[in-house]
Amino acid sequence: MKTLFHSCGAALLVLCTAMGAPAAHADVRVRANIGMVFDGRYHHDHYYPAPGYVAPHVPYGAVGVGAGPGRYWFHGGVWYRPYGSSFRVVLPPIGLVIPLLPPAYVTLTLGGLPYYYANGVYYQSVPDGYAVVAPPPEAATAQVVPAPPPPPPRADPIIYPRNGQSTEQQESDRRDCNRWATTQPNAQADASVFNRAVEACMDGRGYTMR
């Protein structure tokens, strides 16, 4: 199953010194003129900031993994480590676990087991999420699982004001809840998280959503 979501837009970046890659990563091509890595393996076909690129801060919505000096940040298939007051793009060590897969990834079947691939990194499902793993021996001959048809779009919910709120108040509350929902962890990458956050917010303001 090859599932592709919106990838990070290619931005002009400066290529910094590349860091050494552990065994968990596949070869990728670097476009030095813009400091981006093009990952075309398994027809993944996405650009990512090159390892070594230094950013002033991690992207909004990045997920922290680990603690203390071993802490990493993960966003959109890209891994970051603190680098002074900034953050450097790095390659994660084997064993790190993330709660959700990146928004763009490829599903592979190797040795009868599913693997997930993005940005040169292989993942496998574990009880707490998805762990970074070493490339399996059969990686060169992996078969990409066809992507299923996209689900039908969700219909707009019906909002019932339990406390007699006016139409103007309802619209104002809905806008506020939409803004609040975008601040919740993983809401930017998972529409179901965003929708649940909006429903919880509206319920707290006296609305029923169906």
Side-chain angles (χ1 to χ4, degrees), residues 86-97:
S86 303
F87 294 85
R88 182 159 56 181
V89 174
V90 299
L91 301 170
I94 293 169
L96 278 187
V97 177

Side-chain angles (χ1 to χ4, degrees), residues 67-95:
R71 190 169 180 81
Y72 288 74
W73 295 89
F74 179 78
H75 183 273
V78 183
W79 292 85
Y80 300 84
R81 286 293 304 275
Y83 185 69
S85 60
S86 303
F87 294 85
R88 182 159 56 181
V89 174
V90 299
L91 301 170
I94 293 169

Side-chain angles (χ1 to χ4, degrees), residues 27-208:
D27 292 335
V28 289
R29 292 185 286 118
V30 177
R31 292 181 59 177
N33 60 323
I34 58 173
M36 298 289 284
V37 170
F38 177 74
D39 185 358
R41 193 167 197 184
Y42 310 118
H43 300 290
H44 183 48
D45 298 340
H46 279 73
Y47 282 101
Y48 296 96
Y53 168 71
V54 177
H57 49 75
V58 295
Y60 179 79
V63 177
V65 179
R71 190 169 180 81
Y72 288 74
W73 295 89
F74 179 78
H75 183 273
V78 183
W79 292 85
Y80 300 84
R81 286 293 304 275
Y83 185 69
S85 60
S86 303
F87 294 85
R88 182 159 56 181
V89 174
V90 299
L91 301 170
I94 293 169
L96 278 187
V97 177
I98 53 174
L100 290 172
L101 288 169
Y105 64 90
V106 178
T107 301
L108 310 168
T109 298
L110 294 166
L113 299 174
Y115 286 80
Y116 307 96
Y117 173 88
N119 194 16
V121 184
Y122 293 85
Y123 302 89
Q124 273 193 310
S125 178
V126 294
D128 295 330
Y130 299 89
V132 176
V133 298
E138 306 89 345
T141 58
Q143 297 298 313
V144 178
V145 179
R154 179 179 174 179
D156 290 337
I158 297 174
I159 304 174
Y160 174 73
R162 297 195 301 266
N163 301 326
Q165 298 94 322
S166 66
T167 301
E168 292 77 11
Q169 182 63 48
Q170 176 177 311
E171 182 61 22
S172 175
D173 288 335
R174 186 185 64 80
R175 286 195 300 267
D176 289 345
C177 286
N178 283 345
R179 282 193 293 268
W180 177 81
T182 61
T183 67
Q184 302 311 294
N186 303 319
Q188 299 285 341
D190 190 334
S192 66
V193 174
F194 174 82
N195 290 333
R196 292 202 308 271
V198 171
E199 291 174 6
C201 177
M202 292 294 283
D203 181 71
R205 295 190 178 209
Y207 298 89
T208 298

